[in-house]
Amino acid sequence: MGSDEAYNFVFKVVLIGESGVGKSNLLSRFTKNEFNHDSRTTIGVEFSTRTIQLKSLIIKAQIWDTAGLERYRAITSAYYRGAVGALLVYDITKHLTYESVERWLKELYDHADPHIVVMLVGNKTDLGSERSVPTEDAKDFAEKNGLLFLETSALESTNVETAFQNVLGEIHRKVSSKEVTRGSISAVSLSSPVPRAAGDPEEKKPCCRNL
Amino acid sequence: MATDNIIHFWRKNAKVPGSIQPVYGAQHPPLDPRIHRTFPKDTPKGNNLKSKKASSFHEFARSTNDAWDIDDENDEDFLAPIHPSSLPPTLHSTHQVPPLPLQQPSDTTREPDTGPADRVVVKSSSEALLNTNTVRSTLQKQQSLPVRPIIPLVARISDQNSSGAPIMTVRDKSRLDKFKYLLSCPNTDLEELRKHSWSGIPREVRPITWRLLSGYLPANMERRDLVLKRKRDEYFGFIEQYYHSRTDETYKDTYRQIHIDIPRTNPLTIPLFDILEKGFRILFIWAIRHPASGYVQGINDLVTPFFVVFLSEFVEEDVENFDVASLPLDTQRNIEADSFWCMTKLLDGIQDNYTFAQPGIQNNVKALEELVSRIDEDIHNYFKRYEVEYLQFAFRWMNNLLMRELPLRCTIRLWDTYQAEQEGFSHFHLYVCAAFLIEWRKEILSMVDFQGLLMLLQNLPTIHWGNEEVGLLLAEAYRLKYMFADAPNHYKR
């Protein structure tokens, strides 16, 4: 069970958004190609991982699925630290979940790396007849705020793969352009590398620091 | 028609064992990778499987499919379910109050010591109940259906089993008699009851014992009926008073969240909660009466064991597929009210788990870390080395009292002890968590990276667990508590 396959990067990605928008099912669709109708509420934070190939690179996506519930924020915000990507999910049939996107974004920028790659994800396109958030609105919002944008259906497996791939690809683009790669298995940070004290050897980290 | 469909579901599932892959991240009950043997599922009759919404039941069945792949060794749990829709009409009028069998103790209950003339073995729990509860035994005789060779998740809530199960041992029988004796005393000795409950409460007497241990039911026999009636009335008074306000602006967030969570409540009691609004009402009333915490995810899980145990008074074994709506209305209301009060008693003791920033949980996780650093340095250092934080896995252990990590039958057994312990839910749980972690020592130390560790810790394979495993876990927890609780520096480095 211990996964020690070789990879070039570990990217930490968080899934955030209101309760019940389908974060856990997006994750299970991406990591196991599964959808569960009776998915249980996520308690605190739950973890999953998948390794993908991006061009010639092996990238390990370490994905943290957070609970949408307000009460857990004190706990969950700690998990934003070290994240280099985020999927901010809303439900296209529940306008309220879209209205809170700005609040989530603020929370994310408060706790995460300011260079974090964020994708706004409108989930549940399979329920198109009940749509209450027009695609254009969300798209405009995403553009204004410099977010990637996609609409997905975890149920029908629409765009889920693309969404994660795009986020991971964008992270990789940022990382390579900034040339912050340090070794084959290394911590990835999107901000300027913090100058290390002399004599402090760069440790091999399994990932960006957890907590 | 619906039944046919459901039979078909089981068959369909049976043909493709393992087709439903485990979804990590607690979307599924804990999975035992060792168990992949196909169970003879072609025979299920599924007679009492009822579902008003076949499609939702189908989904439910699919999501719980892996739970049915259980070894033959669990044959003891075969059941003879009652067909709920055909309750005799007399029952509806006689079941105004759930039968608390021990309030009318029979000969057996008066004689705790089993003499040689007494039955050395009791064939089944239902038979044992013949003496004490004629309504139920009649019901059983008339409604017994062919044995269904499927192990439902909550089937092993019993120490003893119904028809088809192995015979009750002499020890079981005398244990049961001891309970019956204690419960039939004019003033139940709660200390003594706790002592006996610690190692597990026989299924037949669990509902009344839980009501007593939680402090909901008075020890004084004469007062019980009165108190039950008053508390039940009080609960429905709350509903009258508050429930209409659920759509008010003030409560709309609470309303919405509970509404979203009810169908996502662990574990697998969707039919129970789906059919009626019981779960919703219990949670809503609790939440608005406890504004300091309000509703927090996890609380929805905690109502389930009470609901299932109180329901088990009226259903033989296969509780999770039982159509609650087929019970008389008064019975349904009593189960709901009792669940509310017992859940309230439980939450009173752990409310700081659910107030702002959840200090109770944070403290417990810290305490767990501190404890593990003293009792198993290897594991502690291993976590450090791979940067695994205790909060990453133990938050859920504390928030949901291990309910996400264990099958429901184990939670119910665990709660026997928690209610028997002083501060079981708030304090002893910590030692259970430590024992639970150490239980997986070998697996933990075989992981080679952070990912592997987290995936393991969030999906510990306990699906095959039963009373025996929980008993061992509790014994170890007790040992840890004994050694460390009052010795903060013991083994401290």
Side-chain angles (χ1 to χ4, degrees), chain B residues 5-26:
Chain B
N5 279 340
I6 290 154
I7 291 169
H8 179 64
F9 296 155
W10 299 120
R11 288 205 177 126
K12 200 166 73 181
N13 288 338
K15 277 176 193 152
V16 283
S19 64
I20 307 299
Q21 297 299 314
V23 178
Y24 293 104

Side-chain angles (χ1 to χ4, degrees), chain B residues 414-427:
Chain B
L414 194 64
W415 286 21
D416 288 346
T417 304
Y418 282 7
Q419 294 184 92
E421 270 278 325
Q422 298 291 347
E423 303 188 312
F425 293 100
S426 57
H427 187 65

Side-chain angles (χ1 to χ4, degrees), chain B residues 327-347:
Chain B
L327 286 173
L329 202 62
D330 276 352
T331 305
Q332 294 179 35
R333 287 165 64 93
N334 293 344
I335 293 171
E336 179 179 342
D338 292 0
S339 301
F340 170 81
W341 285 114
C342 288
M343 186 194 78
T344 302
K345 297 271 185 194
L346 188 169
L347 286 169

Side-chain angles (χ1 to χ4, degrees), chain B residues 76-88:
Chain B
E76 62 192 20
D77 295 312
F78 290 172
L79 21 134
I82 302 164
H83 200 292
S85 62
S86 44
L87 292 169

Side-chain angles (χ1 to χ4, degrees), chain B residues 20-309:
Chain B
I20 307 299
Q21 297 299 314
V23 178
Y24 293 104
Q27 301 311 307
H28 274 271
L31 192 76
D32 184 1
R34 287 175 288 176
I35 295 168
H36 281 301
R37 197 131 57 92
T38 314
F39 200 75
K41 275 183 254 179
D42 287 340
T43 45
K45 298 280 183 273
N47 287 306
N48 77 330
L49 301 180
K50 285 174 63 101
S51 175
K52 298 226 159 141
K53 296 197 294 183
S55 67
S56 122
F57 184 82
H58 186 185
E59 286 151 13
F60 164 67
R62 278 191 324 178
S63 73
T64 60
N65 184 48
D66 51 1
W68 306 86
D69 289 335
I70 293 179
D71 266 35
D72 293 348
E73 68 185 13
N74 293 333
D75 285 1
E76 62 192 20
D77 295 312
F78 290 172
L79 21 134
I82 302 164
H83 200 292
S85 62
S86 44
L87 292 169
T90 50
L91 187 70
H92 293 251
S93 48
T94 52
H95 256 48
Q96 299 302 314
V97 171
L100 300 173
L102 302 154
Q103 292 180 321
Q104 311 110 16
S106 67
D107 293 342
T108 353
T109 63
R110 293 230 185 269
E111 293 170 278
D113 295 319
T114 325
D118 208 335
R119 281 174 299 177
V120 174
V121 292
V122 177
K123 271 186 191 154
S124 69
S125 59
S126 50
E127 195 172 314
L129 280 172
L130 285 176
N131 298 333
T132 55
N133 189 329
T134 47
V135 175
R136 259 182 80 183
S137 54
T138 314
L139 180 93
Q140 264 239 306
K141 274 185 193 158
Q142 291 175 353
Q143 312 303 332
S144 281
L145 290 168
V147 166
R148 189 165 63 92
I150 289 180
I151 320 293
L153 265 194
V154 288
R156 292 193 357 175
I157 63 176
S158 54
D159 296 340
Q160 300 85 28
N161 293 277
S162 60
S163 323
I167 48 180
M168 193 191 282
T169 64
V170 181
R171 190 176 159 272
D172 291 339
K173 174 73 167 60
S174 74
R175 257 172 64 73
L176 179 59
D177 286 343
K178 182 72 194 173
F179 273 92
K180 286 183 173 177
Y181 168 75
L182 283 169
L183 294 166
S184 61
C185 292
N187 271 299
T188 296
D189 182 343
L190 289 180
E191 265 321 297
E192 195 68 5
L193 191 64
R194 281 206 176 86
K195 215 175 84 192
H196 288 276
S197 299
W198 205 96
S199 46
I201 303 168
R203 193 185 59 81
E204 295 85 341
V205 293
R206 184 176 272 135
I208 184 174
T209 308
W210 276 27
R211 286 191 191 96
L212 281 162
L213 292 183
S214 69
Y216 170 49
L217 204 59
N220 182 303
M221 170 94 87
E222 278 180 6
R223 289 184 52 226
R224 283 182 200 161
D225 276 342
L226 204 69
V227 168
L228 271 185
K229 186 179 179 317
R230 188 168 54 76
K231 294 304 260 185
R232 287 166 178 171
D233 288 347
E234 193 181 350
Y235 171 70
F236 284 98
F238 292 154
I239 288 191
E240 233 165 78
Q241 190 183 347
Y242 300 118
Y243 195 56
H244 63 86
S245 66
R246 64 192 179 279
T247 47
D248 288 2
E249 189 62 22
T250 333
Y251 300 127
K252 75 172 195 316
D253 286 344
T254 301
Y255 174 78
R256 196 188 312 119
Q257 193 61 53
I258 298 175
H259 206 72
I260 295 174
D261 285 351
I262 279 291
R264 305 193 291 170
T265 289
N266 178 67
L268 319 175
T269 50
I270 293 134
L272 303 183
F273 284 101
D274 224 17
I275 295 162
L276 300 167
E277 282 201 331
K278 289 181 191 310
F280 183 89
R281 293 203 293 205
I282 291 172
L283 294 170
F284 182 76
I285 299 297
W286 188 88
I288 63 174
R289 285 176 49 79
H290 295 82
S293 66
Y295 170 74
V296 178
Q297 283 171 343
I299 292 178
N300 54 328
D301 284 7
L302 302 184
V303 72
T304 312
F306 293 116
F307 200 90
V308 168
V309 165

Side-chain angles (χ1 to χ4, degrees), chain A residues 3 34 40-41 46 71-72, chain B residues 21 23 25 266 297 354 449:
Chain A
S3 44
E34 286 169 10
R40 290 184 273 162
T41 51
E46 286 164 16
R71 182 56 45 84
Y72 290 145
Chain B
Q21 297 299 314
V23 178
N266 178 67
Q297 283 171 343
Y354 304 107
D449 62 10

